[in-house]
Amino acid sequence: MQSTSYLHYASYCGRKTFLVLILFSTLQVGVIRAELSCHYCKGINCIRTTYKGVEKCTSDVSVCATVFNGETVEAQGCLDTIEENLREKCRGSAVDHLNQCHKCNEDLCNEWAPSDFQCIQCDSKKDPNCAKHGEDLEIQPSRCPISRTPNMLCYALKDGDTITRGCSSTLQEQKTCMTSEECFVCNPLILPACNNILLKDGPPKPKPTSKPNPNAGSAISIRVEHYLILLVAYACKYF
């Protein structure tokens, strides 16, 4: 009798413990979801290169999002806190909706530009294949981080024997590249993977000019005299 009671008690305690564990796990997941952090900006701050904001999501169903207007960021943050008129661009389940909205569900994951903005990103010091060009360059373009400049560009830079390729996401980077003979920038929206070009080894070296030969005149005169002698000898022999 005592044995039967003990078994009933153990079974009851086991079920109770199991329910407590399920409840604890559910609460823990809810806490983790509630602590999701997203990059945040609104209005004019979204185009300021020095602005950095972070927002913590309080809703357990929220995700991080970035809303675009072409190449310009209009808003970033937890999707449920973005203004409704901008949030409309994020309707649907797609991660990237018509390149107008990017959604993700990891901490600070809303850091990427629209999906069309992709550049070849490599360093020939780490990957010798980066030094190749055109069809021989077997590196696929990858997505660029958000740019706070009006235009997102790709670049290819030659520094000595090293070639690097990537995304030029700041105005200063773009200006520096444009003023360098060893750097090239291009727009990936016009030509995908546009920074796969060959960077030449600097400007072409001038060909050495041939120096006049001081003996050229005497050599010509000797040759003429030689032919005259042969001509006279030929005339004397046959005429």
Side-chain angles (χ1 to χ4, degrees):
M1 184 70 177
Q2 290 181 350
S3 177
T4 303
S5 299
Y6 176 79
L7 289 175
H8 282 298
Y9 178 77
S11 177
Y12 172 77
C13 290
R15 288 197 300 271
K16 189 174 181 180
T17 302
F18 180 72
L19 291 173
V20 169
L21 288 174
I22 291 178
L23 179 61
F24 177 78
S25 299
T26 303
L27 291 173
Q28 188 177 31
V29 170
V31 170
I32 292 173
R33 293 288 297 147
E35 292 180 349
L36 181 68
S37 297
C38 307
H39 291 289
Y40 171 82
C41 72
K42 180 180 179 181
I44 191 67
N45 285 332
C46 291
I47 60 175
R48 288 178 175 162
T49 57
T50 57
Y51 181 81
K52 293 182 180 180
V54 174
E55 179 181 32
K56 288 191 176 294
C57 304
T58 56
S59 170
D60 60 353
V61 295
S62 189
V63 296
C64 296
T66 302
V67 180
F68 301 97
N69 180 11
E71 302 175 31
T72 305
V73 177
E74 290 189 307
Q76 282 183 290
C78 305
L79 181 59
D80 58 332
T81 65
I82 293 176
E83 293 181 6
E84 185 175 356
N85 62 317
L86 297 177
R87 197 164 63 242
E88 286 292 319
K89 294 185 176 183
C90 299
R91 282 189 176 274
S93 59
V95 173
D96 294 286
H97 186 65
L98 300 176
N99 274 333
Q100 296 179 343
C101 176
H102 170 64
K103 296 180 289 185
C104 54
N105 58 1
E106 296 179 359
D107 273 345
L108 303 177
C109 58
N110 57 333
E111 59 179 335
W112 302 106
S115 57
D116 284 348
F117 287 88
Q118 298 187 9
C119 302
I120 295 173
Q121 302 180 52
C122 62
D123 185 335
S124 63
K125 283 185 177 179
K126 301 176 182 178
D127 184 357
N129 188 38
C130 190
K132 298 179 181 179
H133 70 284
E135 295 181 355
D136 293 332
L137 181 57
E138 299 175 351
I139 299 177
Q140 295 299 317
S142 53
R143 195 168 185 166
C144 294
I146 285 175
S147 172
R148 303 295 180 182
T149 62
N151 296 306
M152 166 62 72
L153 300 175
C154 301
Y155 77 89
L157 171 66
K158 185 177 187 299
D159 184 9
D161 295 330
T162 302
I163 291 179
T164 54
R165 307 176 192 271
C167 308
S168 183
S169 56
T170 69
L171 192 59
Q172 185 58 45
E173 288 176 353
Q174 295 173 6
K175 286 182 177 179
T176 301
C177 187
M178 289 178 180
T179 56
S180 171
E181 295 182 356
E182 302 295 334
C183 192
F184 170 82
V185 290
C186 57
N187 191 329
L189 293 184
I190 298 176
L191 181 64
C194 60
N195 62 331
N196 67 345
I197 63 163
L198 170 68
L199 293 170
K200 296 181 179 179
D201 297 328
K205 297 179 180 179
K207 295 181 179 180
T209 55
S210 56
K211 296 181 179 179
N213 186 353
N215 298 322
S218 58
I220 293 174
S221 60
I222 292 173
R223 193 175 301 134
V224 171
E225 290 177 2
H226 177 70
Y227 282 116
L228 286 175
I229 293 172
L230 289 176
L231 181 60
V232 171
Y234 180 83
C236 293
K237 182 176 181 180
Y238 294 100
F239 295 98

